[in-house]
Amino acid sequence: FADNGVCCIDEFDKMDLRDQVAIHEAMEQQTISITKAGVKATLNARTSILAAANPIGGRYDRSKSLKHNIAMTAPIMSRFDLFFILVDDCNEVTDYAIAQRIVDLHTREAEAIQRLYDLDDIRRYILFARQFKPKLSKDSQDYMVEEYCRLRQRDASGGRTSWRITVRQLESLVRLSEAMARMYCMDEVQPKHVKEAFRLLSKSIIRVETPDIHFDEDEEEGITNDVEETGAEQSETASKSQSVEAQASLKITFEEYRRIASMLIVHLRRHEEAGEVEPLTQSGLVAWYLEEISDDIESEAELNEKQHVVKRVIHRLVTHDNVLLTIRSGSNLQEEDEDPVLVVHPNFVLEE
């Protein structure tokens, strides 16, 4: 029914598995095969698909990539050219504008709104633009290959993309570039069209920016300070008060938090797989991390800062993310161990 048009699908993530398999052919070959009463027919499905889906649990998790937020298979996701994530953030100005617009629609005041183009003008423009069949120029081809290689290099270097960059993204870049030229009613795809298509593709495949990690003050209660201090009791008290004040405002980027957490988890996993007799405690893990980054530490103050950050990360991995588990030893298991043994949760899978 949507041949040579647009097919709009709502609740795409709740589509039945058999229907998802059937739509593979439509998105890949632009045809649909139907078998009824021994008669097999192939229908054209030369259409664009505009689909809407909800995140898992109804709320988008900014700390995860797109593929971990929606219940869609990788083959289906790879067949879409663009993904646009709409996050419902609480904003007084935006909420007021949306509410006012909905009220206007119910009171029919929207009919009085002045529009720059009416529906007939838009229809005529679309019909006219679809008559153009733009071709790629030599400059556009070279620029497109260069941008695709950049995407591949960024993906190989561990960039924050939603999925792996393959030839399908190159085909998407070609389709988007031709569409941009068609919007401008031009017969030739120019480098500026490729540039805009690359910008759209980059904004689509890069995941939602994750917020910085704020270590709450209540987390401070579960962290012990293992730094050995000497001197008078008065100077020790002053030092602790300054440390608490600095810790209360501690904040690191999500990328830095993920980097430190990955280092700790990988080391713990290797320690477990090696079958070491001595278990790895929190102090041992902190000492190993500081040894790994010792070349980047230039002063004692920086050493103390790095030590405090890694302790905060470990505490968050244990209490907030539930990635690490603590094993307490001793006769009284109710008492909190100041230096517990740490292990990685057996069900945790480190994201690549």
Side-chain angles (χ1 to χ4, degrees):
F1 291 122
D3 188 33
N4 289 322
V6 179
C7 177
C8 300
I9 305 175
D10 195 12
E11 304 289 350
F12 192 84
D13 55 311
K14 299 175 181 61
M15 181 181 295
D16 188 76
L17 184 61
R18 292 176 298 178
D19 296 332
Q20 289 189 8
V21 174
I23 208 173
H24 275 218
E25 180 187 358
M27 300 180 72
E28 186 75 23
Q29 303 176 14
Q30 301 285 284
T31 59
I32 292 180
S33 299
I34 300 177
T35 302
K36 289 290 184 181
V39 178
K40 184 177 181 180
T42 301
L43 306 178
N44 289 327
R46 297 161 295 182
T47 177
S48 300
I49 296 180
L50 177 63
N54 293 319
I56 298 174
R59 184 174 295 274
Y60 194 91
D61 189 351
R62 292 173 178 266
S63 63
K64 297 180 181 179
S65 59
L66 175 63
K67 62 184 179 183
H68 292 94
N69 270 284
I70 56 177
M72 291 173 56
T73 61
I76 283 287
M77 291 184 64
S78 64
R79 284 167 170 79
F80 282 97
D81 292 340
L82 297 175
F83 280 88
F84 293 101
I85 303 171
L86 303 179
V87 182
D88 187 16
D89 289 328
C90 181
N91 183 284
E92 183 178 358
V93 177
T94 305
D95 293 343
Y96 177 83
I98 293 176
Q100 188 64 47
R101 175 64 176 174
I102 294 175
V103 171
D104 290 343
L105 289 174
H106 280 280
T107 56
R108 300 188 181 278
E109 293 182 8
E111 298 176 357
I113 297 178
Q114 297 293 329
R115 294 183 175 87
L116 187 60
Y117 303 103
D118 57 25
L119 195 57
D120 292 335
D121 292 336
I122 296 176
R123 285 199 183 104
R124 284 195 294 267
Y125 165 71
I126 293 176
L127 289 173
F128 180 72
R130 292 180 66 178
Q131 305 303 317
F132 290 86
K133 307 296 180 183
K135 304 296 182 182
L136 290 171
S137 64
K138 184 63 172 62
D139 293 339
S140 299
Q141 294 177 24
D142 296 339
Y143 187 69
M144 188 175 297
V145 171
E146 180 182 347
E147 296 298 337
Y148 172 71
C149 291
R150 283 179 55 191
L151 279 177
R152 289 281 295 179
Q153 291 173 1
R154 185 171 59 185
D155 181 46
S157 61
R160 298 181 297 108
T161 54
S162 299
W163 59 83
R164 289 195 58 81
I165 305 301
T166 63
V167 180
R168 281 180 176 165
Q169 276 65 54
L170 177 59
E171 295 175 347
S172 299
L173 192 60
V174 173
R175 287 192 291 267
L176 292 172
S177 301
E178 293 176 347
M180 290 300 303
R182 195 175 290 112
M183 284 181 58
Y184 286 94
C185 301
M186 301 182 67
D187 294 318
E188 186 179 70
V189 177
Q190 299 180 359
K192 65 178 183 179
H193 302 142
V194 180
K195 183 178 180 180
E196 178 63 18
F198 175 75
R199 186 190 68 84
L200 289 172
L201 190 62
S202 298
K203 291 295 183 182
S204 174
I205 64 179
I206 299 240
R207 73 181 185 183
V208 174
E209 193 69 23
T210 52
D212 293 338
I213 301 296
H214 293 263
F215 294 106
D216 299 331
E217 294 182 15
D218 56 352
E219 291 184 5
E220 184 62 25
E221 299 175 359
I223 302 176
T224 59
N225 191 354
D226 296 333
V227 180
E228 295 183 0
E229 297 181 357
T230 59
E233 183 177 354
Q234 183 177 1
S235 62
E236 182 179 356
T237 305
S239 176
K240 287 185 178 180
S241 62
Q242 293 176 0
S243 176
V244 171
E245 182 179 356
Q247 292 165 0
S249 59
L250 182 60
K251 178 182 70 173
I252 62 175
T253 63
F254 179 81
E255 288 74 18
E256 179 69 11
Y257 172 77
R258 184 181 178 186
R259 183 189 66 81
I260 297 174
S262 299
M263 289 180 62
L264 300 176
I265 293 170
V266 170
H267 179 65
L268 281 171
R269 280 271 169 83
R270 289 176 178 173
H271 188 273
E272 295 171 8
E273 293 171 357
E276 298 290 343
V277 178
E278 288 293 330
L280 197 57
T281 61
Q282 177 175 325
S283 60
L285 186 60
V286 171
W288 170 84
Y289 173 77
L290 295 177
E291 180 67 24
E292 288 291 310
I293 63 171
S294 58
D295 295 338
D296 301 330
I297 300 176
E298 299 179 353
S299 63
E300 184 179 356
E302 188 175 358
L303 173 64
N304 294 334
E305 179 185 356
K306 297 292 185 182
Q307 183 186 40
H308 175 63
V309 169
V310 70
K311 287 182 179 180
R312 278 294 183 80
V313 172
I314 293 175
H315 185 263
R316 184 180 178 90
L317 289 172
V318 172
T319 60
H320 186 272
D321 297 338
N322 297 321
V323 173
L324 300 183
L325 302 177
T326 59
I327 301 178
R328 296 184 174 89
S329 59
S331 58
N332 191 352
L333 299 180
Q334 300 298 328
E335 295 182 359
E336 185 173 357
D337 195 348
E338 294 184 355
D339 191 19
V341 174
L342 297 176
V343 295
V344 182
H345 196 289
N347 295 331
F348 175 73
V349 178
L350 185 63
E351 182 180 346
E352 298 180 357

